[in-house]
């Protein structure tokens, strides 16, 4: 079945460091791919998405490119801030064509220190 | 505009008691998802509805769990009887996606943290 694998955390960085969080997926068909972010005590929020191969999603300085050849959707940011500390989830849509069901990875905790 | 609203935010109960979690969808959304989040298992989809109809409940752990949508804007998730292993954060999410639209965004509530002693 469809699945998502993320790099294990926590990831600890200093402010202004470069961030990469790896995400790979297994899926039949052509799913859409997402990154969600969860700040402490809150629900998940959509950060960015890509709906087809080679698409690049971007938002708030974060980027991820849909790589079908490597089945990956790695999240990157050039210069992280303390306010980026959160849990990041990679997800893919159920490509069976029914509703908006999403399958999430385990989440990666990012801690940014001043 | 109000987002997805969940209640209660926190619930502490004793094993064997009935627990009811509530969710109000964003107006105009027609898909509703219940997720459970734990450290060990991450985010698990329990059940989802489209236009008030349950589409897939294969993630519901066992018969102690039940979910309903009595109307287009409201849902409940009930656990009866509750057990300590049910302790988790339960999220409700809604989406404007129709039955054949994929790739849509889910809008999450802030979650209900359940502790069963």
């Amino acid at each position: 079945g469809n699945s998502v694998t993320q790099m294990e955390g926590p990831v600890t960085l200093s402010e202004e460091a470069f961030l990469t969080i790896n995400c790979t997926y297994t899926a039949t068909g052509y799913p859409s791919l997402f990154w969600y972010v969860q700040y402490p005590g809150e629900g998940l929020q959509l950060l960015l998405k890509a709906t087809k191969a080679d698409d690049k999603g971007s938002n708030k300085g974060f980027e991820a490119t849909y790589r079908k050849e490597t089945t990956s959707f790695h999240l990157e940011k050039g210069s992280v801030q303390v306010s980026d500390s959160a849990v990041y989830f990679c997800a893919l849509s159920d490509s069976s064509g029914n509703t908006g069901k999403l399958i999430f990875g385990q989440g990666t905790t990012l801690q940014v220190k001043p | 505009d109000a987002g997805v609203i969940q209640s209660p935010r926190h619930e502490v109960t004793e094993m064997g008691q009935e627990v009811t979690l509530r969710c109000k969808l964003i107006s105009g959304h027609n898909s509703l998802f219940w997720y459970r989040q734990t450290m060990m298992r991450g985010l698990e989809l329990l059940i989802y509805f489209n236009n008030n109809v349950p589409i897939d409940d294969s993630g519901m752990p066992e018969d102690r769990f039940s979910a309903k949508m009595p109307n287009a804007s409201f849902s409940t998730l009930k656990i009866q009887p509750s057990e300590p292993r049910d302790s988790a954060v339960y999220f409700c999410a809604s989406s404007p996606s129709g039955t054949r639209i994929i790739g849509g965004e889910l809008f999450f509530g802030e979650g209900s943290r359940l502790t069963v002693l």
Side-chain angles (χ1 to χ4, degrees):
Chain A
N2 294 354
S3 66
V4 176
T5 302
Q6 293 180 232
M7 63 187 288
E8 289 192 20
V11 174
T12 303
L13 297 173
S14 297
E15 209 165 20
E16 300 184 1
F18 183 85
L19 168 71
T20 299
I21 300 178
N22 290 338
C23 171
T24 57
Y25 67 91
T26 302
T28 55
Y30 302 95
S32 294
L33 301 174
F34 305 81
W35 277 100
Y36 278 77
V37 58
Q38 183 181 28
Y39 298 104
E42 299 183 11
L44 282 71
Q45 306 171 26
L46 179 67
L47 181 59
L48 54 84
K49 71 177 184 181
T51 57
K52 61 183 187 296
D54 299 326
D55 268 4
K56 177 186 284 186
S58 61
N59 185 27
K60 299 180 181 179
F62 291 90
E63 293 182 340
T65 301
Y66 190 160
R67 303 283 188 201
K68 194 171 187 300
E69 63 276 12
T70 54
T71 62
S72 65
F73 192 55
H74 304 323
L75 182 68
E76 296 181 336
K77 186 175 185 182
S79 176
V80 295
Q81 305 301 312
V82 172
S83 57
D84 293 326
S85 298
V87 182
Y88 292 81
F89 292 88
C90 186
L92 62 81
S93 62
D94 176 4
S95 51
S96 68
N98 293 323
T99 74
K101 177 181 174 181
L102 297 184
I103 297 168
F104 287 88
Q106 287 290 94
T108 302
T109 299
L110 170 65
Q111 299 172 339
V112 181
K113 298 186 174 181
Chain B
D1 288 340
V4 174
I5 299 172
Q6 292 188 244
S7 65
R9 290 294 310 277
H10 302 273
E11 172 102 4
V12 180
T13 191
E14 293 188 347
M15 182 174 64
Q17 296 299 305
E18 178 180 296
V19 173
T20 299
L21 307 178
R22 297 173 177 82
C23 174
K24 185 176 186 300
L25 284 69
I26 293 173
S27 177
H29 286 191
N30 58 3
S31 293
L32 180 281
F33 303 78
W34 281 103
Y35 283 87
R36 177 171 68 176
Q37 185 179 37
T38 61
M39 289 293 292
M40 291 298 295
R41 300 173 70 92
L43 267 171
E44 302 173 276
L45 177 64
L46 301 178
I47 185 172
Y48 71 94
F49 296 81
N50 192 60
N51 292 324
N52 303 4
V53 176
I55 303 300
D56 183 355
D57 65 355
S58 59
M60 296 286 262
E62 48 199 272
D63 291 346
R64 298 184 297 106
F65 285 68
S66 62
K68 293 182 180 179
M69 277 197 78
N71 59 57
S73 61
F74 184 73
S75 177
T76 59
L77 177 67
K78 186 175 292 187
I79 308 172
Q80 167 63 19
S82 58
E83 296 182 4
R85 60 193 167 122
D86 301 330
S87 297
V89 181
Y90 291 82
F91 287 102
C92 172
S94 71
S95 167
S97 297
T99 52
R100 296 201 63 80
I101 299 172
I102 60 174
E105 177 181 354
L106 293 188
F107 293 79
F108 282 79
E110 293 185 323
S112 294
R113 180 176 294 276
L114 172 65
T115 302
V116 183
L117 303 175

